[in-house]
Structure formats: C-alpha cells, structure tokens
Amino acid sequence: MSPESSKLKFHAAERMISFVELIDEILGYVKTDPNRHYSLMIGSDSRASDETEIITAVAIWKIGNGGRYFWTKSEVERCPTLRDRIYKEAMKSITLAQEIRSVLKDRVGEDFLWDNKISVHIDVGEVGPTKEFKESVLGMAKGFGFDAVIKPEAVAAFVVADRHT
C-alpha cells in the first residue's frame, strides 16, 4: 500500500472508512456469496471548472444481483482545460485501481476471487467534446493492464461518481 492510498478516506453509506477498510468491505461483500461472479469498477468524475474536486468511485457489482459502492474526493485540482480534467480523472481512477489490485493480490492471491475483473470507467464517449480524448485515455488504462470502459457503459464514472460531484 502506498503512502498516498493510506491517506485516502472513503464514503461508505453513512460513515467514512480508510483504504484498508475499503479492501475489507470489498472482500467481505464477495465472501457473503463466493460462488457468484463479481466485477470491480473504478471511475472518476468532476465538475467542469478551472479548479475542481475529483470524485473517484469504487463499485463492486455482484453480476445480476446488485452491488455496493464507495467514493472519495480529491483535494482541489487545477484543470484549466477539458483535456486536463479528463486526463486527471483517468489517472485518479487508474492509480486507485492499481493500488486496489496490488492489495487484493497480496491479501487473496493471484486469482483474487473474480477472475481479475477490475475495470477502469472513463468519463468520455463516442460523441461530444470528450470523444477526441477517447483513444488516448483508453490506451492509458489498457497500458496499466485494466479493462477500460467508456460511456454509456462507464457507470462508475458518469453515474456513481457523478452523483457526488
């Protein structure tokens, strides 16, 4: 666990939890029904502004049967352009996904319960002003070894994180 992730605090329903507690919550959720298939999704969103807070959501989905989510807020980030904002959102998601993947592998081994199904959800789409960034941010996420998802399937970013921006 990096010093950066050890400082993170996540909103979990009615309380705040640490990064370690986030991992415990994810593993506990999976252990309640270990024979099911799960998907872990990480995505970020922020308001369109020169200075903004980036919300990063972590959602664990019990495929076909609901799920849980957690979210954290960054310090105020300077994002003078749409490109800056999209790239910072993507890197927040990728960085957190790396930390989570690393800790999960340490805690439960290489085959960590859901067939390595961690996806990074990126708040770009095929249409609109973000479409010109699609290929580069997808490449970033894939370069770090993650499945990358864009709108309209990127629910961790444009639905869950957006709910808290």
Side-chain angles (χ1 to χ4, degrees):
M1 178 171 54
S2 75
E4 177 72 22
S5 63
S6 65
K7 295 176 192 172
L8 291 175
K9 294 292 182 190
F10 292 85
H11 296 263
E14 304 289 321
R15 62 192 175 97
M16 297 294 290
I17 62 173
S18 69
F19 180 78
V20 171
E21 291 169 314
L22 169 72
I23 299 298
D24 292 341
E25 290 283 333
I26 291 168
L27 291 173
Y29 184 71
V30 171
K31 287 177 183 174
T32 62
D33 199 353
N35 296 320
R36 296 296 297 268
H37 294 281
Y38 294 86
S39 178
L40 187 61
M41 304 167 277
I42 296 106
S44 298
D45 194 24
S46 61
R47 291 183 188 251
S49 176
D50 283 354
E51 293 187 350
T52 188
E53 296 168 318
I54 297 174
I55 304 297
T56 302
V58 177
I60 178 76
W61 176 36
K62 185 186 306 182
I63 297 172
N65 218 183
R68 297 189 61 198
Y69 81 90
F70 312 88
W71 62 277
T72 188
K73 186 186 316 186
S74 75
E75 297 293 321
V76 173
E77 303 267 347
R78 179 129 172 77
C79 302
T81 67
L82 176 60
R83 181 181 187 278
D84 291 333
R85 193 164 50 87
I86 295 299
Y87 278 72
K88 284 185 180 187
E89 288 175 7
M91 281 310 301
K92 289 276 186 201
S93 298
I94 291 166
T95 302
L96 183 57
Q98 285 181 294
E99 288 290 326
I100 291 171
R101 178 175 60 190
S102 175
V103 172
L104 287 173
K105 282 183 180 179
D106 287 348
R107 294 265 307 262
V108 295
E110 199 65 33
D111 181 39
F112 52 93
L113 304 176
W114 44 80
D115 305 317
N116 209 16
K117 287 292 183 192
I118 296 179
S119 57
V120 173
H121 289 205
I122 303 172
D123 195 22
V124 298
E126 298 283 351
V127 296
T130 61
K131 69 181 176 193
E132 68 183 89
F133 312 121
K134 182 184 88 166
E135 294 303 320
S136 57
V137 292
L138 285 174
M140 286 169 42
K142 289 177 182 177
F144 284 96
F146 295 106
D147 290 334
V149 180
I150 63 169
K151 292 189 233 181
E153 288 83 22
V155 295
F158 92 96
V159 175
V160 180
D162 178 74
R163 175 178 291 167
H164 300 283
T165 57

